């Protein structure tokens, strides 16, 4: 499987059950589909319900999902997972898409999963490896005048029998156990490795019976001081710099007030209501309390449109998640300025154009709004404007 | 030539309310603006207002550059408009500098805040702390004040009975102020039985969540008479900042307030503020702060706040006849409400609260946790 940033897409999914935090997933009931294109990609489905996470690979259709994450290639998917590629960047460049509530995903996933990290490729530390290099750690100054022969009987995987001889300021290692040892230590090879790398305490290993000592206990205790401490080649030395990721979120309740309220009430009846300046007669859409040019309150309302024509537009190829809804628009989309019928010059109204109509969109195109089935008094009531042929 | 003096010509206040869920702050500002225009007859543009200083808080408004939500309404179209985000009283200090420098001779100040818009005032003030440490430890302006109250009450022998007395008095005066939020009388027993928010601060020791808006028109000495026959002169203004990190501060020292007071008095040529001032308006978000800030302003000695209250200091020095912040003003513009009340007193327009023949008034404000930043404005009739 194709590897990017030192890992594969499959690794990310295979570790999901282990990274899952059941206690943080109380009340969560979601099905999240993953569709990763290109080499090393594939389809997966994550089901979280009753504090259990189930991960499965999917052949063919993903089926019904609460939300689906679609990545154009494995590199993007892995990069975003590892935070080497910004999720917002990937979304706005179209390399990643989310069908469903993006904000929900961005909040939920870090909450119920431990962040995936690439498993380190460790140098394998073996008992034989440690022992074969024992001469390099030998300290003749500490062992001056010492004559000692001791043995290790290491059992299990990676084990073996070794005799270490200290004499005349030298240290030699040979395989096998001599018969004239001062002391023999018997343990599993993994215990020896643990003691040398510092993950197992030697005294505790002895008292718990993991290490058996036959012969001169004092000699056994002394062996350590003739050598430099073994250094684990996998030990991290680099300083770790952290950054803090937080979502600042305080619920708000925005008043629309009587004037803006009129606008939303109008949408419910599929009407565009503008307020009118009593002095310059311009139509303010959206309606405002005051005409900022004349410094005078607006009082009258007039219905504009619903048809109009396009005076300016721009095709947008990136899309950021809407901070209020978490939704991401399909790209490209047209941000079009529309002069609604009855509007005074320069009083444009901006909205999206139907995607299928984009190829024929031009300055001057006549357009009309397409309304939601049941308008409720919000901007969602207008699906888009379509071009009138 | 720079003008010698700057006048507050007129003030207009929106009544403070606990929850104006049905009004945009634009609506509130428009009412205030029209009130101010009616009082002064000012217009915009040449020979009128060409410079506006607004005051708002981005987190309370839940939008960045929060002034751009109001510039149309307050008349900013094609004119100069700037925002004071620190604390409203400093908008007056800033406008004062603009006029003294000769840059403009007329400045409109418009401030607003709807504390009811966000789900929680404490969550918003929590964002006033750094994201790593202060926010993570759950600090906000309320529990920061709790720490200060603990330390201050020990130092100044302020009692729970006295806290109640301060609240009772605030409500008595607020009842006479048509712009105050909490105007109904409360007995001391009810204050002392109100729920504990953050020991020793009880619910009624804390100012209520408030929505409000304030406007002021400032002019040079030469032009003030066009807009009022009762100009109120800005004779001293200063502010001072204490350290941001809470742990570095002596919470009871009043360091920043003392320094701001000294600088404002020096500019006003006042030797002893407690002898000079006829009216004092302090920003007391919590009951303990009223005597504490009075210490900082020099109306009693260090650690004597308890005795100050016991000896009737708040009455003697006419402290917070508006009801003060305790009766409910939003953060960020509480200082503007203090200045508005001080101006009304000096113009003889304070109604049932009027102090006879008031000549000198002090308006104080603070922002940041537990009085980190203080501003002092001295006004004279």
């Amino acid at each position: 499987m194709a590897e990017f940033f030192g890992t594969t897409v499959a690794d990310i999914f295979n570790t999901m059950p282990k990274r899952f935090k059941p206690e943080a997933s109380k009340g969560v009931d979601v099905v999240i589909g993953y569709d990763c294109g290109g080499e090393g990609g594939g389809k997966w489905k994550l089901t979280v319900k009753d504090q259990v996470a189930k991960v499965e690979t999917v052949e063919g259709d993903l089926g019904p999902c609460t939300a689906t994450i679609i990545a154009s290639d494995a590199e993007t998917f892995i990069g975003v997972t590892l935070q080497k590629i910004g999720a917002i960047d990937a979304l706005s460049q179209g390399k990643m898409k989310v069908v469903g509530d993006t904000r929900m995903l961005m909040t939920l996933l870090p909450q119920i999963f431990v962040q995936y990290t690439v498993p380190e490729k460790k140098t394998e530390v073996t008992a034989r490896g440690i022992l074969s290099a024992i001469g390099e750690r030998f300290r003749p100054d500490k062992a001056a005048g010492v004559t000692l022969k001791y043995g290790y009987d290491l059992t299990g995987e990676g084990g073996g029998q070794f005799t270490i001889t200290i004499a005349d300021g030298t240290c030699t290692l040979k395989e096998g156990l001599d018969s004239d040892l001062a002391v023999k230590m018997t343990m599993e090879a993994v215990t020896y490795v643990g003691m040398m790398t510092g993950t197992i305490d030697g005294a505790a290993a002895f008292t718990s019976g993991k290490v058996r000592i036959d012969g001169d206990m004092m000699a056994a205790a002394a062996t350590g001081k003739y050598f430099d401490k073994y250094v684990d080649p996998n030990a991290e030395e680099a300083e770790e710099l952290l950054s803090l990721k937080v979502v600042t979120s305080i619920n708000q309740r925005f008043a629309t007030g009587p004037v803006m309220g009129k606008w939303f009430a109008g949408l419910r009846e599929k009407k565009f209501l503008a307020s009118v300046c009593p002095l310059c007669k311009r139509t303010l859409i959206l309606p405002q309390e005051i005409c900022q040019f004349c410094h005078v309150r607006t009082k009258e309302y007039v219905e504009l449109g619903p048809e109009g024509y396009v005076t300016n537009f721009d095709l947008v190829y990136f899309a950021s998640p809407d901070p209020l809804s978490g939704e991401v628009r399909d790209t490209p989309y047209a941000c079009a300025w529309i002069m609604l019928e009855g509007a005074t010059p320069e009083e444009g109204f901006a909205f999206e154009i139907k995607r299928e109509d984009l190829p024929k969109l031009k300055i001057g195109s006549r357009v009309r709004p397409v309304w939601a089935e049941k308008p409720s008094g919000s901007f969602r009531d207008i699906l888009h404007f379509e071009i009138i042929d | 030539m720079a003008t010698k003096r700057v006048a507050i010509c007129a003030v207009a206040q929106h009544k403070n309310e606990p929850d104006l869920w049905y009004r945009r702050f634009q609506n509130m500002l428009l009412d205030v603006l029209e009130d101010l225009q009616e009082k002064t007859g000012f217009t915009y543009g040449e020979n009128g207002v060409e410079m506006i200083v607004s005051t708002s808080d981005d987190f309370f408004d839940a939008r960045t550059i929060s002034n751009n939500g109001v510039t149309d309404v307050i008349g900013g179209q094609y004119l100069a408009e700037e925002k004071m985000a620190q604390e409203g009283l400093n908008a007056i200090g800033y406008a004062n500098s603009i006029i003294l420098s000769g840059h403009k001779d007329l400045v409109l100040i418009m401030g607003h805040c709807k504390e009811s818009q966000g789900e929680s005032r404490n969550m918003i003030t929590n964002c006033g702390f750094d994201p790593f440490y202060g926010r993570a430890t759950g600090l906000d302006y309320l529990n920061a004040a709790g720490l200060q109250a603990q330390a201050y009450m020990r130092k100044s022998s302020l009692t729970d009975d006295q806290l109640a007395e301060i609240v009772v008095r605030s409500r008595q005066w607020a009842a006479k102020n048509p712009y105050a939020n909490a105007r109904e009388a409360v007995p001391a027993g009810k204050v002392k039985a109100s729920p504990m928010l953050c020991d020793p601060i009880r619910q009624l020791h804390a100012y209520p969540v408030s929505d409000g808006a304030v406007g002021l028109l400032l002019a040079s000495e030469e032009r003030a008479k066009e807009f009022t026959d009762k100009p109120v002169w800005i004779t001293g203004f200063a502010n001072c900042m204490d350290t941001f990190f809470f742990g570095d501060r002596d919470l009871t020292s009043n360091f920043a307030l003392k320094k701001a007071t000294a600088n404002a008095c020096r500019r006003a040529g006042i030797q002893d503020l407690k002898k000079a001032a006829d009216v004092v308006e302090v920003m007391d978000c919590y009951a303990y702060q009223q005597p504490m800030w009075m210490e900082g302003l020099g109306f009693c000695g260090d650690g004597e706040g308890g005795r100050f209250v016991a000896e009737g200091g708040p009455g003697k020095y006419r402290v917070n006849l508006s009801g003060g912040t305790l009766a409910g003003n939003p953060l960020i513009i509480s200082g503007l409400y203090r200045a508005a009340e001080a101006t009304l007193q000096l113009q003889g327009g304070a109604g049932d609260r009027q102090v006879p023949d008031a000549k000198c008034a002090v308006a104080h404000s603070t922002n940041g946790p537990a009085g980190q930043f203080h501003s002092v404005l001295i006004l004279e009739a």
Side-chain angles (χ1 to χ4, degrees), chain A residues 2-9 11-12 73-86 116-119 121:
Chain A
E3 212 176 78
F4 298 96
F5 303 103
T7 191
T8 66
V9 178
D11 284 340
I12 293 169
D73 52 69
E75 186 176 4
T76 299
F77 185 81
I78 294 169
V80 170
T81 305
L82 293 173
Q83 303 175 352
K84 306 268 188 202
I85 297 174
Y116 176 76
T117 48
V118 180
K121 296 222 163 38

Side-chain angles (χ1 to χ4, degrees), chain A residues 14-25:
Chain A
N14 290 339
T15 56
M16 264 188 167
K18 226 164 68 184
R19 293 188 284 117
F20 183 62
K21 297 190 276 186
E23 71 285 354
S25 74

Side-chain angles (χ1 to χ4, degrees), chain A residues 86-94 96-98 100-103 106 316-333 352 380:
Chain A
I88 302 288
D89 291 342
L91 286 168
S92 36
Q93 288 161 11
M96 205 162 88
K97 267 185 188 170
V98 174
D101 187 341
T102 311
R103 195 174 53 163
M106 287 170 97
V316 183
Y317 288 90
F318 72 94
S320 305
D322 177 344
L324 293 180
S325 67
E327 285 178 17
V328 184
R329 286 180 168 81
D330 282 335
T331 55
Y333 68 89
E352 281 179 64
R380 311 253 153 152

Side-chain angles (χ1 to χ4, degrees), chain B residues 14 17 49 53 84 107 137-138 182 195 276 284 293-294 322 325 364:
Chain B
H14 194 287
E17 294 281 357
V49 167
V53 181
M84 174 56 64
V107 178
T137 48
D284 50 352
W293 303 154
M294 290 306 286
S322 64
T325 306
H364 154 267

Side-chain angles (χ1 to χ4, degrees), chain B residues 252-287:
Chain B
T252 64
S253 78
N254 260 324
F255 173 84
L257 179 52
K258 284 175 184 166
K259 198 154 184 198
T261 305
N263 285 339
C265 286
R266 187 166 48 76
R267 277 168 206 162
I270 289 173
Q271 301 290 331
D272 186 350
L273 191 58
K274 68 174 180 290
K275 278 189 189 143
D278 301 308
V279 184
V280 183
E281 283 283 321
V282 293
M283 182 171 159
D284 50 352
C285 296
Y286 308 99

Side-chain angles (χ1 to χ4, degrees), chain A residues 2 20 31 49 53 80 87-88 140 166 171 174-175 260 321-322 329 338 359 362 375-376:
Chain A
F20 183 62
V31 180
K49 195 179 178 172
V80 170
I88 302 288
I166 297 171
C171 168
K174 68 170 186 181
E175 293 234 13
M260 195 77 85
D322 177 344
R329 286 180 168 81
I338 299 161
K362 58 182 192 298
S376 60

Side-chain angles (χ1 to χ4, degrees), chain A residues 242-244 246 248-260 287-293 295 297, chain B residues 19 21-24 27 30-31 34 44 62 72-73 75 77-78 114 116-119 123-124 131-132 135:
Chain A
L242 304 174
S243 67
L244 184 67
V246 291
T248 302
S249 170
I250 302 167
N251 289 338
Q252 302 282 332
R253 189 195 43 182
F254 295 111
T256 61
V259 178
M260 195 77 85
Q288 294 291 313
E289 285 82 359
I290 189 168
C291 170
Q292 68 268 43
F293 296 97
H295 301 297
R297 266 189 204 256
Chain B
D19 183 10
W21 62 269
Y22 49 88
R23 300 205 83 190
R24 300 206 300 159
N27 305 133
L30 194 48
D31 282 357
E34 286 178 349
Y44 289 97
D72 285 355
V73 165
Q77 184 73 19
Y78 298 149
K114 278 186 77 176
S116 71
Q117 182 173 280
E119 185 181 26
M123 283 170 76
I124 289 172
F132 302 101
R135 288 193 202 181

Side-chain angles (χ1 to χ4, degrees), chain B residues 3 5-7 99 105-106 218-225 233:
Chain B
T3 181
R5 291 198 295 178
V6 174
I99 296 171
D105 53 13
L106 204 54
L218 273 65
S220 64
E221 184 164 14
E222 290 81 359
R223 296 205 56 190
K225 57 184 173 298
W233 305 106

